[in-house]
Amino acid sequence: MSHKSIQEVRDWFFQDLKEVKNHEEILKFKGKFLGKSGEITKLLSAIKTIPLEERSDYGKEVNLLKNETLEELKKKQELLEQEGGQALETDLTLPGVGIRRGTLHPITLVIRQVSAIFERLGFSVESGPEIETDFYNFEALNIPQHHPARDSQDTFFIDDNRVLRTQTSGIQIRTMENRKPPIRIIAPGKVFRVDHDVTHSPVFHQIEGLMVDTDINFKHLKFVLRTMIQELFGESREVRFRPSYFPFTEPSAEMDVSCFACAGKGCRLCSQTGWIEILGCGMVDPNVFEAVGIDHGVYTGWAFGIGVERIAMLQYGITDIRLFYENDVRFLNQFPS
């Protein structure tokens, strides 16, 4: 075999190397030139046919070619790895690679929905600390020392004077301390209680609302809450108010909404009553106004509190509150942002 044959194999190698586009092809290509029956291997085997006086130079040239091809194959391998094993020449007719988008958590979706409703009604959205003092979490809300809410079975105590807030009502107190009426706010946020089962979580979310002005009465409260429910669940949804008791409102009421599953006829979801309890509300107790320095002889107000998880469970038909906190992407991807 002549020296020209070595050059021919070299030209052949570099010409075909340009066509290699993935790892599978590079393995076949390596075998074609360096395998047992490869072209460079054939050159090495042909050394015995070379005249004795030319063998040394012939052998050097073939070895140089072999080393050069190994180096070029290594570079090609690295380039393919950088390209992620994809074709070096992009086919512009192929569909693009989709980017997986995240979605908002259902709790976030509900908070944004409710906030938008109240902002349209002229309310502002306020926030406050998750660690509250005894005054803001209990005393200013007319909750006496013997009230069950102070029991360690219900409240996470940090020390004798600080707790993880059990409701966002402390935001209402802070707002009334620092702002003169008229006041229209909602206070969404995370709250904490010692409770854990399929319908209760030690960490959950509330949205509380407060309105303080002259001549505010229960009719205003009923109108605003009915508006919120119909905006969330549809205009056909009915509501009713039942007398109840809360230490920070007087009079107080529980508000029910007509059952989503049976349209008020009675079913397992609503315990055959046709109604589902959804929130507590009432007129602000005069003792609360006194604690924040508002003249209850001039001003009246109402407040309410609703669980965000409660709304989400009713909206999306979720039966276990723990699903909200398990971070299962299969569950979370069901809620379009």
Side-chain angles (χ1 to χ4, degrees), residues 72-326:
E72 291 299 320
L73 285 170
K74 181 181 179 182
K75 290 179 181 179
K76 190 76 170 183
Q77 184 91 18
E78 291 174 350
L79 181 59
L80 289 174
E81 288 176 357
Q82 290 175 2
E83 296 292 333
Q86 301 300 315
L88 297 179
E89 294 181 7
T90 304
D91 185 349
L92 298 180
T93 66
L94 293 174
V97 178
I99 299 174
R100 187 174 182 178
R101 295 182 60 194
T103 59
L104 293 175
H105 195 282
I107 298 300
T108 301
L109 290 173
V110 170
I111 290 175
R112 290 189 178 186
Q113 280 182 290
V114 176
S115 297
I117 293 169
F118 279 92
E119 285 175 325
R120 290 197 296 269
L121 294 172
F123 286 68
S124 64
V125 181
E126 305 294 334
S127 61
E130 293 179 0
I131 297 176
E132 276 290 15
T133 65
D134 182 88
F135 175 79
Y136 289 105
N137 200 74
F138 294 123
E139 286 290 342
L141 293 167
N142 196 36
I143 301 177
Q145 289 289 335
H146 62 272
H147 195 278
R150 290 179 177 266
D151 194 310
S152 60
Q153 294 300 309
D154 295 326
T155 305
F156 290 102
F157 286 88
I158 296 175
D159 54 35
D160 290 341
N161 188 49
R162 293 181 301 167
V163 302
L164 295 180
R165 67 184 182 191
T166 58
Q167 62 268 325
T168 57
S169 305
I171 300 173
Q172 298 182 25
I173 300 300
R174 292 176 182 275
T175 301
M176 287 190 286
E177 275 187 331
N178 297 296
R179 191 182 305 175
K180 293 182 180 180
I183 296 171
R184 295 179 182 86
I185 69 163
I186 61 168
K190 192 182 298 179
V191 297
F192 310 85
R193 295 184 190 175
V194 185
D195 212 348
H196 191 221
D197 56 40
V198 295
T199 57
H200 298 86
S201 170
V203 181
F204 59 103
H205 298 76
Q206 275 190 338
I207 297 178
E208 298 199 8
L210 173 71
M211 185 172 185
V212 179
D213 205 342
T214 56
D215 299 322
I216 295 297
N217 58 50
F218 213 94
K219 289 181 180 179
H220 302 129
L221 172 62
K222 292 172 68 176
F223 169 79
V224 170
L225 292 182
R226 183 178 285 109
T227 298
M228 176 187 71
I229 294 301
Q230 292 180 344
E231 287 276 347
L232 287 172
F233 302 112
E235 294 184 1
S236 62
R237 198 63 54 203
E238 296 293 333
V239 299
R240 73 174 184 182
F241 294 83
R242 294 178 289 105
S244 188
Y245 168 76
F246 303 107
F248 30 82
T249 54
E250 180 58 39
S252 302
E254 296 278 2
M255 190 181 84
D256 301 331
V257 62
S258 54
C259 181
F260 303 83
C262 65
K265 297 178 181 179
C267 67
R268 182 178 178 182
L269 179 63
C270 60
S271 301
Q272 306 302 324
T273 66
W275 298 92
I276 297 174
E277 179 185 319
I278 196 167
L279 62 82
C281 60
M283 301 300 294
V284 178
D285 192 287
N287 290 335
V288 175
F289 281 144
E290 286 187 10
V292 295
I294 291 179
D295 187 349
H296 60 81
V298 177
Y299 296 101
T300 54
W302 52 253
F304 73 88
I306 186 170
V308 177
E309 285 81 354
R310 182 69 166 163
I311 299 175
M313 291 174 79
L314 292 173
Q315 268 194 332
Y316 302 120
I318 298 167
T319 57
D320 191 333
I321 195 172
R322 293 171 293 193
L323 291 171
F324 292 120
Y325 306 107
E326 291 177 346

Side-chain angles (χ1 to χ4, degrees), residues 50-57:
I50 302 298
L52 190 60
E53 64 275 13
E54 297 179 9
R55 287 183 185 180
S56 177
D57 292 338

